[in-house]
């Protein structure tokens, strides 16, 4: 209280002076007589026009906010569709054991959490996997047990379209509580979906979003499907309320799809704006109804206030002038309020305090600006890489050359007086590195190679950006000054890069160099050309450089590919007769012939794709459905991603030949499984004793040769390997859970002590004693 009085006294004393008196007299003259004239003109002549302008402004505001609402809903649809086509939600989820595949389960949960946080309107992002799994992620893994819960989500799978909006009750105990929901079938684009991705939206936030369409916080705003299946209100009113129903009836009688009109309701006049929102395979209607008094009241109030003030201006001119004089200080006051937070009254005691506060806040804002600039510098490489990915893949075809130049300049590229060159680099030979890398390490190898490319490119070129495609390929975009030759620099760069990759990663490099262009919009076409050029590389395990400016591909005479038709026929015949080993040998001979000296990558890929089509035809002729056999996987797409003969052979053998041979084996003799099951039970009961293939065969009633062959077919393991693994697993249990001596453990599982130590170390990589010590520390 005392501080407030001191502030008031200081402010009053600071206003007394010559400047204050002169400004007071001037303001009195200016605000007196002219005020009466201006007030009358505003009230009698301009009132109607202001009213019309305010109404027009109101309609424009509603239109803009409806467009913003439409954009937000469209972004949500695009976001959900993007995730639905992600490979995380492909056919592999159907029947997946989410408990054992905990890494996959954890990855799905993290993805759903990221989706849930990607938009403030999303209350929950859920994944329901039907079929054999019957699992719900919301976003945590939740098995669904009751038919009631399953029924709620199964109905979503059978929606009218792949993507649709609905209002859905997810709690069976409270069916009246429905959430606005966006649903997308998974896998994306599949004619036979087995699950759904679901966005459940926060009703309060949706209502708050709709309230922006009633800017004066009075009246009603709602959206609904024209079919009547979906209804959302800003104020929570029901779809069958008299006011809403009256508005709907009035709009149904209107001929235009969007517009505005005045509506009388219970003695009040409302201005109503309506229009349509195009949603996926549906049309929504939005309606905003605001009382006309809320819009016009500012005009009437201000006009009457001007008249009133003008009439008493002569009596109160001194007081108004005195108050107006203090408005001279309003810029300083607003600045203090803005920078100091709250009202800034603490700074009004003395002028020095105000500018001290301004100085302090300016320094604080300057520091924040520097921090933000630092963060921008950290994120800029990621933003630039994302921009280049979109540019090279053709997603920015709608942008003009000027727009692209402006965006690149905004991202800190020096583009004036520059020309562009695209390099496409492919790594080959990973199939020959089984001791170093395994299948699935392509991303790791590419990451290491891209780091080398970035380091070497920064040494040779003034401006360069490297793109990682994570599939043993990468791209480099070079910005070269106009009029300068780039051949020498690229030649030196390619030589150093191939040497480094050969020496460190022990792989070979194929590089395609695009033509030099001055147009950014030409880069997608150049990128496609160099990608295509790499596919024409020789299949020799050697480094290759393809320069598009030299027209190497255009002028070279290509030899006709040699397709081994005879080997193909023999391979298909071996498949039909169930000769697995012979089929594998013929496949190796087929690929060897196809990829002989001088063969091109594209010829080998096309030949293998042709073989895949003929094999699938043979599978169909044998009465097996390829879609069921291969679990709906696009085999052509997978094969087209493989670029090396050894990996093609391995993939073809594991993904095509083996499933068909297994199918034939299962169909030919189901008794074999029961025979092997009996043998496995016998081993589990007698593993402590001296067991041989002969006495096991005698126990199950067959000969040792047939038992050995059948055991390998059914279990995928040799008889002795299965018995060894069984004994070692039992030994590990005893080592972990008991204090038995190593000798006793060996005897318990049917081994002598010395042999037990050797076989345990061979399989587990450590001695039994080390395994026990390690288990006790866990």
């Amino acid at each position: 209280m005392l501080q407030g009085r001191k502030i008031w006294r200081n402010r009053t004393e600071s206003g007394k002076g010559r400047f204050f008196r002169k400004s007071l007299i001037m303001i009195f003259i200016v605000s007196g007589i002219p005020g009466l004239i201006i007030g009358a003109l505003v009230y009698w002549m301009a009132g109607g026009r202001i009213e019309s302008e305010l109404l027009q402004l109101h309609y424009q505001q509603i239109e803009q906010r409806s467009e913003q609402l439409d954009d937000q809903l469209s972004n949500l649809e695009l976001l959900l569709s993007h995730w639905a086509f992600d490979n995380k939600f492909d056919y592999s989820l159907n029947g997946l054991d989410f408990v054992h595949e905990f890494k996959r389960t954890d990855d799905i949960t993290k993805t759903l959490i990221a989706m849930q946080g990607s938009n403030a309107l999303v209350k929950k992002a859920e994944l329901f996997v039907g079929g054999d799994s019957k699992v719900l992620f919301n976003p945590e893994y939740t098995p669904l047990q009751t038919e009631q819960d399953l029924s709620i989500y199964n109905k979503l799978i059978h929606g009218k379209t792949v993507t649709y909006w609905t209002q859905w009750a997810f709690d069976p105990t409270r069916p009246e509580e429905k959430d606005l929901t966006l649903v997308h079938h998974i896998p994306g684009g599949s004619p036979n979906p087995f699950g759904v991705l679901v966005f459940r939206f926060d009703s309060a936030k949706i209502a708050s979003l709709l309230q922006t369409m009633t800017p004066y916080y009075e009246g009603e705003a709602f959206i609904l499907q024209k079919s009547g299946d979906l209804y959302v209100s800003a104020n929570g009113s029901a779809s069958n309320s008299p006011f809403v129903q009256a508005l709907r009836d009035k709009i149904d009688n209107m001929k235009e799809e969007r517009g505005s009109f005045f509506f009388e309701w219970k003695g009040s006049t409302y201005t109503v704006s309506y229009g349509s929102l195009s949603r996926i395979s549906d049309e929504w209607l939005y309606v905003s109804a605001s009382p006309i008094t809320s819009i016009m009241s500012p005009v009437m109030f201000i006009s009457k206030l001007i008249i009133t003030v003008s009439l008493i201006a002569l009596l109160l001119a001194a007081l108004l002038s005195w108050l107006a004089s203090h408005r001279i200080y309003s810029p300083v006051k607003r600045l203090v309020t803005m920078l100091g937070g709250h009202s800034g009254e603490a700074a009004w005691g003395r002028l020095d305090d105000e500018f001290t506060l301004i100085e302090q806040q300016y320094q604080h804002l300057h520091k924040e600006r520097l921090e933000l600039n630092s963060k921008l510098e950290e994120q800029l490489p990621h933003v630039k890489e994302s921009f280049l990915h979109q540019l090279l893949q053709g997603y920015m075809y709608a942008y003009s050359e000027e727009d692209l130049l402006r965006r690149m300049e905004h991202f800190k590229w020096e583009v004036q007086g520059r020309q562009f060159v695209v390099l496409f680099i492919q790594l080959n030979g990973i199939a020959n590195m089984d001791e170093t890398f395994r299948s699935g390490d392509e991303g790791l190898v590419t990451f290491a190679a891209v780091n080398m490319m970035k380091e070497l490119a920064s040494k040779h070129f003034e401006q360069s950006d490297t793109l990682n495609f994570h599939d043993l390929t990468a791209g480099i975009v070079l910005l070269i000054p106009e009029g300068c030759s780039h051949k020498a620099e690229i030649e030196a760069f390619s030589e150093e890069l191939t040497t480094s990759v050969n020496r460190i990663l022990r792989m070979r490099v194929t590089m395609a160099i695009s033509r030099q262009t001055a147009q950014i919009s030409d880069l997608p076409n150049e990128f496609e050309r160099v990608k295509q050029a790499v596919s024409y590389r020789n299949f020799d395990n050697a480094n290759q450089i393809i320069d598009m400016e030299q027209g190497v591909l255009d002028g070279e005479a290509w030899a006709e590919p040699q397709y081994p038709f005879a080997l193909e026929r023999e391979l298909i015949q071996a498949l039909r007769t169930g000769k697995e080993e012979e089929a594998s040998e013929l496949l190796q001979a087929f690929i060897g012939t196809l990829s002989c000296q001088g063969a091109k990558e594209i010829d080998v890929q096309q030949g293998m794709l042709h073989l895949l089509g003929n094999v699938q035809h043979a599978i169909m002729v044998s009465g097996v459905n390829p879609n069921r056999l291969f679990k709906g996987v696009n085999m052509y797409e997978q094969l087209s991603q493989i670029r090396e003969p050894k990996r093609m052979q391995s993939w073809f053998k594991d993904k095509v030949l083996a499933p068909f041979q297994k199918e034939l084996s299962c169909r030919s003799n189901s008794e074999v499984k029961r025979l092997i099951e009996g043998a496995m039970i016998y081993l589990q009961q007698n593993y402590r004793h001296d067991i041989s293939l002969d006495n096991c065969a005698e126990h199950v009633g067959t000969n040792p040769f047939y038992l050995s062959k059948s055991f390998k077919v059914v279990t995928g393991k040799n008889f002795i390997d299965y018995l060894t693994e069984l004994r070692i697993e039992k030994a590990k249990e005893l080592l972990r859970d008991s204090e038995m001596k190593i000798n006793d453990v060996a005897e318990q599982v049917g081994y002598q002590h010395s042999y037990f130590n050797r076989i345990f170390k061979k399989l587990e990589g450590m001695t039994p004693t080390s395994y026990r010590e390690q288990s006790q520390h866990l």
Side-chain angles (χ1 to χ4, degrees):
M1 190 69 177
L2 293 175
Q3 184 180 4
R5 291 177 180 176
K6 180 179 180 181
I7 293 170
W8 179 259
R9 183 171 61 253
N10 290 336
R11 292 180 62 184
T12 304
E13 292 175 356
S14 64
K16 293 181 179 180
R18 180 177 300 176
F19 178 79
F20 177 80
R21 290 192 296 271
K22 288 183 178 181
S23 62
L24 181 62
I25 295 172
M26 182 62 67
I27 295 173
F28 174 80
I29 295 174
V30 171
S31 63
I33 297 174
L36 293 173
I37 301 173
I38 294 173
L41 292 175
V42 170
Y43 185 79
W44 296 108
M45 298 176 61
R49 183 170 181 179
I50 293 175
E51 179 179 345
S52 175
E53 292 291 334
L54 285 176
L55 281 174
Q56 189 65 29
L57 182 62
H58 171 75
Y59 295 146
Q60 292 177 359
Q61 189 176 15
I62 297 303
E63 185 70 16
Q64 291 175 356
R65 292 182 179 178
S66 67
E67 291 176 358
Q68 293 173 0
L69 174 62
D70 189 36
D71 290 341
Q72 289 200 41
L73 297 178
S74 298
N75 288 336
L76 288 168
E77 294 169 354
L78 182 62
L79 176 63
L80 187 61
S81 297
H82 167 78
W83 282 108
F85 282 88
D86 193 277
N87 57 13
K88 292 185 178 69
F89 308 111
D90 58 12
Y91 284 98
S92 62
L93 294 179
N94 190 14
L96 183 66
D97 188 350
F98 290 94
V99 175
H100 289 84
E101 298 290 339
F102 64 91
K103 291 186 178 178
R104 185 76 179 275
T105 302
D106 182 61
D107 184 43
I108 292 175
T109 299
K110 292 179 179 178
T111 301
L112 291 175
I113 292 173
M115 292 168 62
Q116 184 171 306
S118 62
N119 193 289
L121 296 178
V122 179
K123 178 173 68 176
K124 274 194 175 182
E126 296 183 345
L127 168 66
F128 170 70
V129 181
D132 300 329
S133 300
K134 299 180 179 59
V135 168
L136 174 66
F137 290 83
N138 62 342
E140 298 292 337
Y141 167 81
T142 305
L144 297 178
Q145 304 295 336
T146 66
E147 290 296 326
Q148 190 175 22
D149 291 335
L150 287 172
S151 174
I152 291 175
Y153 287 91
N154 276 327
K155 291 179 181 178
L156 294 175
I157 299 179
H158 305 292
K160 52 189 176 181
T161 58
V162 174
T163 306
Y164 60 94
W165 291 84
T166 184
Q167 278 183 313
W168 203 256
F170 291 88
D171 189 349
T173 62
R174 290 181 287 183
E176 70 282 358
E177 295 185 8
K178 296 183 178 181
D179 292 336
L180 180 62
T181 305
L182 178 58
V183 181
H184 198 299
H185 292 166
I186 61 167
S190 170
N192 299 309
F194 58 83
V196 290
L197 273 175
V198 176
F199 274 175
R200 294 171 56 185
F201 298 97
D202 191 321
S203 300
K205 292 182 179 179
I206 294 293
S208 176
L209 183 62
L210 287 177
Q211 283 178 353
T212 62
M213 299 179 66
T214 56
Y216 302 98
Y217 301 100
E218 294 183 26
E220 179 60 62
F222 60 89
I223 57 175
L224 73 155
Q225 284 181 336
K226 292 188 176 180
S227 60
D229 296 334
L230 184 147
Y231 171 83
V232 181
S233 170
N235 299 326
S237 58
S239 60
N240 58 356
S241 68
F243 182 61
V244 173
Q245 191 61 44
L247 287 174
R248 293 178 62 180
D249 294 339
K250 178 69 175 179
I251 293 172
D252 289 341
N253 296 328
M254 304 294 288
K255 295 181 180 180
E256 296 81 8
E257 291 186 359
R258 60 176 63 240
S260 58
F261 57 87
F262 292 102
F263 185 71
E264 297 290 336
W265 179 260
K266 292 184 179 181
S268 300
T269 302
Y270 292 81
T271 175
V272 181
S273 298
Y274 70 96
S276 61
L277 302 174
S278 295
R279 300 269 59 82
I280 296 177
S281 68
D282 204 350
E283 289 289 328
W284 290 10
L285 175 70
Y286 73 87
V287 180
S288 172
S290 300
I292 194 69
T293 55
S294 299
I295 301 174
M296 295 296 104
S297 59
V299 176
M300 301 303 297
F301 174 78
I302 292 173
S303 299
K304 292 178 180 179
L305 180 61
I306 292 175
I307 294 296
T308 304
V309 172
S310 299
L311 290 175
I312 62 174
L314 296 177
L315 300 176
L316 301 178
L319 178 60
L320 294 175
S321 300
W322 181 80
L323 292 175
S325 66
H326 289 278
R327 297 294 297 172
I328 297 173
Y329 300 99
S330 61
V332 176
K333 179 181 179 180
R334 287 198 303 270
L335 188 59
V336 171
T337 302
M338 180 180 64
L339 295 178
H342 306 293
S343 64
E345 289 182 351
W348 278 98
R350 294 183 305 166
L351 186 62
D352 292 340
D353 292 339
E354 296 170 9
F355 285 96
T356 299
L357 175 62
I358 293 173
E359 181 182 0
Q360 292 174 352
Q361 292 301 320
Y362 171 79
Q363 292 176 352
H364 175 69
L365 292 175
H366 179 68
K367 181 180 179 182
E368 287 187 344
R369 182 180 67 85
L370 294 178
E371 292 177 354
L372 290 175
N373 284 336
S374 177
K375 292 180 180 179
L376 177 61
E377 292 295 331
E378 294 176 1
Q379 297 299 322
L380 188 59
H382 304 290
V383 177
K384 293 173 68 174
E385 183 176 358
S386 176
F387 170 80
L388 286 179
H389 270 286
Q390 297 181 56
L391 175 64
L392 294 182
Q393 293 174 7
Y395 295 131
M396 294 189 173
Y397 64 90
Y399 287 84
S400 65
E401 183 70 19
E402 292 74 16
D403 292 336
L404 294 174
L405 281 170
R406 188 163 46 252
R407 292 195 67 177
M408 292 190 73
E409 288 177 345
H410 181 70
F411 291 144
K412 309 300 183 183
W413 271 300
E414 293 289 340
V415 295
Q416 296 298 330
R418 297 296 194 278
Q419 290 188 326
F420 306 92
V421 176
V422 179
L423 309 182
F424 187 78
I425 301 167
Q426 177 177 303
L427 305 179
N428 308 303
I430 194 171
N432 301 321
M433 305 172 61
D434 295 336
E435 71 281 359
T436 305
F437 297 107
R438 298 176 295 177
S439 178
D441 288 345
E442 291 85 353
L444 179 62
V445 177
T446 310
F447 176 77
V450 166
N451 285 339
M452 294 184 194
M453 297 175 196
K454 288 181 179 179
E455 183 178 352
L456 295 176
S458 63
K459 290 170 53 180
H460 289 273
F461 307 105
E462 180 182 350
Q463 291 188 79
S464 63
D465 288 274
T466 304
L467 301 176
N468 186 351
F469 299 120
H470 307 283
D471 60 350
L472 298 179
T473 63
I476 301 178
V477 178
L478 304 179
L479 280 72
I480 298 173
E482 291 181 348
C484 296
S485 175
H486 63 277
K487 295 184 180 300
E489 290 83 355
I490 293 181
E491 182 179 352
F493 166 73
S494 60
E495 181 178 354
E496 189 170 355
L497 176 62
T498 52
T499 302
S500 300
V501 172
N502 296 162
R503 178 173 52 84
I504 298 175
L505 298 180
R506 301 186 183 280
M507 299 185 68
R508 298 296 176 263
V509 176
T510 301
M511 178 187 299
I513 307 167
S514 76
R515 296 180 176 91
Q516 191 167 312
T517 178
Q519 300 293 322
I520 302 176
S521 54
D522 290 340
L523 289 181
N525 294 330
E526 295 299 330
F527 178 68
E528 288 300 321
R529 290 191 186 100
V530 292
K531 283 182 63 177
Q532 183 181 7
V534 169
S535 66
Y536 284 92
R537 71 180 182 90
N538 291 329
F539 246 30
D540 300 332
N541 190 21
N543 301 314
Q544 300 176 46
I545 306 297
I546 304 172
D547 192 342
M548 303 298 292
E549 285 194 346
Q550 296 179 358
V552 176
L553 295 180
D554 298 332
E556 186 172 349
W558 300 100
E560 292 296 329
Q562 300 297 322
Y563 188 83
F565 291 98
L567 290 175
E568 177 193 279
R569 290 193 295 271
E570 294 178 11
L571 172 60
I572 293 176
Q573 181 62 28
L575 278 176
R576 290 172 176 167
T577 56
K579 299 177 180 178
E580 184 175 356
E581 294 183 1
E582 183 179 345
S584 298
E585 294 174 358
L586 288 170
L587 174 63
Q588 182 177 0
F590 180 91
I591 295 178
T593 303
L594 200 62
S595 58
C596 62
Q597 184 71 22
K600 307 299 181 184
E601 178 182 302
I602 190 170
D603 295 334
V604 177
Q605 284 187 336
Q606 294 298 323
M608 292 303 296
L609 290 171
H610 182 74
L611 175 63
L612 176 61
N614 290 337
V615 170
Q616 289 206 24
H617 176 74
I619 291 174
M620 293 181 66
V621 170
S622 67
V624 179
N625 187 345
N627 288 331
R628 178 185 63 79
L629 182 64
F630 302 132
K631 300 180 180 179
V633 175
N634 190 337
M635 307 297 286
Y636 292 97
E637 181 180 358
Q638 286 193 1
L639 180 57
S640 63
Q641 300 300 320
I642 305 175
R643 305 185 182 91
E644 300 180 19
K646 287 187 178 180
R647 297 184 67 200
M648 289 181 181
Q649 178 182 345
S650 177
W651 179 89
F652 211 101
K653 181 179 179 181
D654 296 339
K655 302 296 184 180
V656 180
L657 303 187
F660 182 55
Q661 295 290 348
K662 184 178 180 181
E663 179 74 14
L664 291 179
S665 177
C666 293
R667 292 172 60 185
S668 62
N669 190 4
S670 59
E671 293 295 330
V672 173
K673 290 186 177 180
R674 289 194 290 270
L675 178 71
I676 299 305
E677 288 176 359
M680 293 170 67
I681 294 173
Y682 176 77
L683 293 177
Q684 292 174 0
Q685 293 176 348
N686 298 277
Y687 68 89
R688 299 180 181 88
H689 308 298
D690 186 13
I691 300 177
S692 65
L693 180 63
D694 292 338
N695 56 37
C696 183
E698 182 180 356
H699 174 78
V700 297
T702 186
N703 62 77
F705 175 78
Y706 183 74
L707 176 62
S708 176
K709 181 179 179 181
S710 302
F711 204 94
K712 175 67 174 180
V713 171
V714 173
T715 66
K717 302 176 182 178
N718 294 326
F719 175 86
I720 189 62
D721 292 338
Y722 179 84
L723 177 59
T724 301
E725 291 182 8
L726 176 63
R727 285 173 167 174
I728 294 300
E729 287 299 322
K730 296 297 182 180
K732 287 164 66 176
E733 292 180 9
L734 294 175
L735 291 170
R736 289 194 307 266
D737 303 332
S738 71
E739 299 296 330
M740 295 177 61
K741 296 181 179 179
I742 304 300
N743 292 344
D744 297 335
V745 171
E747 292 178 359
Q748 284 291 320
V749 297
Y751 284 127
Q752 295 181 358
H753 178 249
S754 59
Y755 182 71
F756 172 68
N757 283 341
R758 290 198 304 271
I759 194 66
F760 191 95
K761 185 174 182 180
K762 179 181 178 181
L763 294 180
E764 299 299 326
M766 63 182 73
T767 63
T769 303
S770 300
Y771 179 82
R772 168 172 281 174
E773 292 175 353
Q774 182 175 338
S775 301
Q776 291 175 352
H777 289 300
L778 294 178

